[in-house]
Amino acid sequence: MLLGFIGVVCFSLTLPATRISVPYFGETIVGLGRTVIAASIVATIFVVKKQSLPNKKQLKSLLIVAAGAVLAFPLLTTFAMKSLPVSHGAIQLALLPLATAGFSLWRGGDRPSKRYWIASAIGAITVMIYALDLGLGQFQKGDIAIIAAVLVLGLSYAEGGQLSKELGGWQVIAWAILIGAPFFIVPVGFSISVNMLQAPIEAWVSLFYLGVVSQFLAYVAWYGGMSLGGIARVGQIQYLQPFLMIGFSVSFLGESITWLTIVLAIIVVLCVILGKSAPMTKKESHDK
């Protein structure tokens, strides 16, 4: 439970760190550079451990994980944090466990129940109401980016969850990082400029936090906690994440939080709890 809590706290600082660093380093460095930083750590660990290579089937799953957790999610959230408050993104990201559960059921060949779909609908409507309230009656591009980030990360989490049974927990994200990093080196290299040296210390700390902690060490703690305490039990700690994220947005960014933000965050989390605990049904087999 302690490891799981540490993982959730680390993940909760991802959006604030992104918000702090992106004005100074840009989307490419913050979105893709974090993976290059994490890859240097992972490569060192794998060389020391003499880690064996994944097989072809595992590699296909790792490509899905890399596409979501290593490429799409960092880029989409980095783009969103250029314009959206962290507290706003926190409410939308609160739907992540529900999206992961849905993709996990689909990945496992199960069918979500009506309660899951009702909870998902209420949660989604709540998020849309909040997005429209902030956008003065219209969706902002950042809202679309965050929702897309939830979907792609939910799929990669579900795929990674299945693959972790074979490779082990943190090795999944580690291999995904190594797969993605070589493709990111060139765009990251071209995005580096001398002006970045003038960035304040908090921006540099935030960037390296994203690379070392958010992209890698947080996963080590999170997967380690779930492997020791059980996915269902430790996974419930994730319900705290939106509230921790909102708290960090106030502490580090000075964002003002309204009662509407808190109430809608509670509604979304309750929807996630109800949706994740909903019974599932097996798909009917048409085999003769």
Side-chain angles (χ1 to χ4, degrees):
M1 293 296 283
L2 178 60
L3 281 174
F5 180 72
I6 291 172
V8 166
V9 171
C10 291
F11 288 136
S12 299
L13 283 163
T14 298
L15 289 191
T18 301
R19 180 75 168 167
I20 292 171
S21 57
V22 71
Y24 300 98
F25 300 111
E27 295 175 47
T28 303
I29 297 293
V30 176
L32 301 181
R34 68 179 76 177
T35 299
V36 176
I37 295 171
S40 62
I41 301 173
V42 173
T44 302
I45 294 174
F46 276 6
V47 168
V48 172
K49 291 188 63 176
K50 297 181 180 179
Q51 190 78 23
S52 58
L53 296 173
N55 57 43
K56 290 184 178 180
K57 182 180 177 182
Q58 293 169 340
L59 184 59
K60 290 180 180 179
S61 293
L62 285 170
L63 288 173
I64 295 176
V65 176
V70 176
L71 174 62
F73 182 79
L75 281 179
L76 288 168
T77 52
T78 298
F79 173 78
M81 286 301 98
K82 289 178 63 178
S83 58
L84 293 182
V86 169
S87 56
H88 187 74
I91 291 183
Q92 293 172 320
L93 284 181
L95 289 173
L96 179 58
L98 207 54
T100 304
F103 281 118
S104 295
L105 291 172
W106 170 73
R107 177 69 173 76
D110 297 319
R111 181 177 297 165
S113 65
K114 289 182 179 179
R115 193 169 85 185
Y116 171 85
W117 291 116
I118 292 172
S120 298
I122 295 174
I125 291 171
T126 302
V127 165
M128 286 190 288
I129 290 173
Y130 190 55
L132 289 171
D133 178 71
L134 184 70
L136 301 177
Q138 63 182 2
F139 289 108
Q140 300 183 62
K141 292 181 180 179
D143 293 308
I144 299 172
I146 288 285
I147 295 301
V150 168
L151 293 175
V152 296
L153 190 60
L155 175 59
S156 66
Y157 271 6
E159 191 70 27
Q162 290 287 331
L163 186 58
S164 65
K165 298 175 183 178
E166 302 176 29
L167 288 180
W170 66 270
Q171 287 93 330
V172 172
I173 189 64
W175 277 116
I177 288 169
L178 285 184
I179 289 172
F183 299 98
F184 302 163
I185 292 175
V186 172
V188 168
F190 277 111
S191 299
I192 296 174
S193 68
V194 178
N195 293 334
M196 292 178 181
L197 295 174
Q198 301 175 7
I201 186 64
E202 58 265 27
W204 284 103
V205 171
S206 296
L207 178 62
F208 279 94
Y209 178 88
L210 291 170
V212 177
V213 181
S214 291
Q215 196 66 37
F216 181 57
L217 294 182
Y219 284 96
V220 175
W222 178 243
Y223 283 126
M226 288 195 293
S227 66
L228 290 173
I231 295 174
R233 180 165 171 257
V234 177
Q236 294 179 23
I237 303 175
Q238 199 171 19
Y239 301 143
L240 296 174
Q241 185 165 310
F243 302 105
L244 289 171
M245 203 174 288
I246 290 171
F248 289 140
S249 73
V250 175
S251 302
F252 294 107
L253 300 172
E255 293 185 2
S256 58
I257 304 301
T258 64
W259 280 107
L260 178 64
T261 302
I262 301 299
V263 170
L264 294 184
I266 292 173
I267 292 174
V268 173
V269 170
L270 288 176
C271 289
V272 172
I273 294 172
L274 291 173
K276 282 195 67 179
S277 62
M280 59 183 177
T281 56
K282 294 288 183 181
K283 288 183 180 179
E284 294 181 4
S285 174
H286 297 284
D287 296 337
K288 294 183 180 180

